[in-house]
Amino acid sequence: MAVIRDVMPAFQLYQPTSTSDAQKLLEQHGADAWVLAGGLDSMDWLKDRIKKPKAVIDLSGIEELRGIRETGDGIEIGAMTTLTEVVRNPAVKQKYGLLTQAAGVVASPQIRNQGTIGGNVSQDARCWYYRAGWPCYRAGGNICYADTPVGRNREHAILHAERCVAVNPSDTAPALIALDAKFVVQTPKGERVMDAEKYFVGPELDITRMNILQPGHLLTAIRVPSTWAGAQFYFEKVRDRNVWDFPLMNVASAMRLSGNTIQNVRIAVNAVAARPLRLTAVEDSVRGKSRSAETGEMAGKLAVQGAVPLQFNAYKIPLMRNLVKRAIGGVQEVSPSWVS
Ligand SMILES: Cc1cc2nc3c(=O)[nH]c(=O)nc-3n(C[C@H](O)[C@H](O)[C@H](O)COP(=O)(O)OP(=O)(O)OC[C@H]3O[C@@H](n4cnc5c(N)ncnc54)[C@H](O)[C@@H]3O)c2cc1C
Ligand code: SF4
């Protein structure tokens, strides 16, 4: 492994203590600014000298961006709330256990102590080539190194690839989509509140970004409405090392049953495309059906329609089929010990 001996390129560090000051700094520095949350993704880029912002806006001193508040209709989670705080929060655990489960399997305890929910949903792709500074499409070049006969693409996309075949690696994103969360973004034109699934973008919209944030934008909070509080949840993550690792794939669903009949459901998967995917066709097809192995089987088959494997990731198609099958059909949930 190469040893980098150079120090990080110099930048101006700003440490605002209010959201409005952070917003002003972001507007002032535009595309030269970098938002720093927990730093787990940010520091990789800076230390590897691949991203070289002129101004770094550190959000860690902004109290108003931290914490979980109960609102008239659910909860609001400040963007700078750590993943550990999300996992331990009693209201989240009691009503939105899907998010507790998803946040609880992100990386390792140390990373969850430092990583924030805002950073987790805003993190960049983990494709080797891109992270190593190769000039691929996502980096502004005109080639995808992963999508070649010898490219290392075992972890990459099977759906909606468009030149770039990288995937979104967030564990909390599909859970937030399944819970119908709303993301609150401050922009120079004012506040925008959007459905969680609208926060994420694929390469067909912008190949250099994984979310809608533009220079000057700040994610301030995530609101989880009470609509799905206490619903039947299912979360499963498959990874190479269970101790800590990014997902090879994950699935999150929220379901309301009447007896054994599926009244309503939301389901999302991640690490199959450049954005977490809500499976609306699956949702539509299972509403009104009984929750059974047969319904799960049908849902799994439907979910993978149109999937196209790369050279080394064909395993992802049966994996997705089975994850969706279990999420819809229902199996005994096994919560990790730290979630209970
Ligand atoms: C070794 C390792 C293993 C990991 N494993 C997993 C895993 O298994 N599952 C998983 O989901 N994640 C995993 N992660 C990601 C990790 O959990 C962090 O959540 C994530 O990297 C970023 O969170 P952060 O708070 O450190 O944000 P940062 O690294 O500081 O920021 C990440 C990105 O989001 C932007 N950003 C952050 N907050 C805001 C905001 N409020 N407004 C606008 N932009 C913002 C930053 O500019 C940056 O581009 C892993 C990370 C590492 C280093
Ligand atoms: S998959 Fe995307 S990020 Fe990776 S090399 Fe190809 S274009 Fe770059």
Side-chain angles (χ1 to χ4, degrees):
M1 191 202 298
V3 178
I4 298 172
R5 297 182 196 283
D6 295 331
V7 295
M8 276 192 274
F11 50 73
Q12 289 284 338
L13 176 66
Y14 294 90
Q15 297 186 299
T17 53
S18 70
T19 305
S20 59
D21 281 353
Q23 188 63 48
K24 277 184 211 141
L25 286 163
L26 286 170
E27 284 180 36
Q28 188 184 327
H29 293 279
D32 290 330
W34 183 277
V35 174
L36 177 65
L40 289 154
D41 195 3
S42 298
M43 285 302 170
D44 271 6
W45 289 119
L46 303 180
K47 287 185 170 180
D48 287 346
R49 304 168 65 85
I50 294 167
K51 310 268 187 187
K52 298 176 185 169
K54 292 195 177 122
V56 171
I57 320 297
D58 173 11
L59 306 181
S60 64
I62 307 180
E63 268 313 303
E64 62 195 288
L65 290 179
R66 289 186 182 280
I68 299 170
R69 298 166 281 282
E70 295 207 46
T71 63
D73 177 38
I75 52 165
E76 181 173 281
I77 309 173
M80 285 297 287
T81 308
T82 67
L83 295 164
T84 298
E85 287 169 312
V86 172
V87 173
R88 292 191 179 155
N89 184 273
V92 177
K93 203 180 282 189
Q94 193 194 340
K95 297 179 185 160
Y96 311 102
L98 185 65
L99 182 58
T100 311
Q101 286 187 55
V105 292
V106 169
S108 64
Q110 292 87 343
I111 290 171
R112 294 194 292 275
N113 287 344
Q114 175 71 15
T116 65
I117 187 91
N120 190 258
V121 294
S122 309
Q123 61 180 300
D124 211 339
R126 303 301 302 192
C127 173
W128 328 107
Y129 303 99
Y130 175 55
R131 302 295 297 203
W134 292 37
C136 66
Y137 284 127
R138 189 166 286 280
N142 60 3
I143 184 172
C144 173
Y145 299 97
D147 191 10
T148 64
V150 291
R152 289 180 62 192
N153 52 38
R154 182 175 160 272
E155 291 79 8
H156 288 65
I158 51 170
L159 282 160
H160 302 290
E162 159 91 37
R163 292 175 296 151
C164 175
V165 295
V167 295
N168 183 299
S170 168
D171 280 316
T172 61
L176 290 165
I177 291 175
L179 289 168
D180 200 9
K182 314 291 171 198
F183 285 26
V184 184
V185 175
Q186 296 296 330
T187 80
K189 291 183 184 160
E191 184 178 283
R192 276 185 65 194
V193 181
M194 68 204 66
D195 290 344
E197 62 201 280
K198 297 272 163 58
Y199 183 74
F200 303 96
V201 299
E204 71 285 359
L205 278 184
D206 189 340
I207 206 163
T208 64
R209 294 175 190 281
M210 302 208 98
N211 55 58
I212 51 101
L213 297 181
Q214 297 283 336
H217 289 190
L218 186 67
L219 174 67
T220 54
I222 294 172
R223 293 180 187 148
V224 184
S226 55
T227 330
W228 292 92
Q232 301 251 336
F233 298 130
Y234 187 91
F235 185 85
E236 189 174 349
K237 169 180 181 176
V238 174
R239 50 189 156 172
D240 279 328
R241 294 167 294 180
N242 275 335
V243 183
W244 63 280
D245 217 336
F246 285 97
L248 290 169
M249 199 177 294
N250 56 31
V251 66
S253 69
M255 194 181 275
R256 294 276 185 208
L257 292 167
S258 171
N260 196 39
T261 304
I262 300 171
Q263 271 190 325
N264 206 358
V265 62
R266 285 176 70 97
I267 179 167
V269 288
N270 209 4
V272 299
R275 60 186 167 86
L277 297 182
R278 182 178 165 202
L279 306 178
T280 47
V282 168
E283 293 171 5
D284 293 343
S285 73
V286 303
R287 256 183 230 111
K289 295 204 165 54
S290 66
R291 189 175 205 197
S292 64
E294 293 72 42
T295 305
E297 192 80 42
M298 180 271 292
K301 283 185 186 149
L302 183 60
V304 297
Q305 275 185 12
V308 180
L310 302 165
Q311 183 84 344
F312 299 112
N313 72 355
Y315 75 95
K316 279 199 171 188
I317 295 179
L319 179 58
M320 180 171 170
R321 192 170 59 231
N322 281 315
L323 289 187
V324 171
K325 175 178 150 185
R326 292 203 282 268
I328 296 294
V331 291
Q332 187 71 39
E333 289 183 39
V334 183
S335 297
S337 55
W338 59 87
V339 170
S340 58

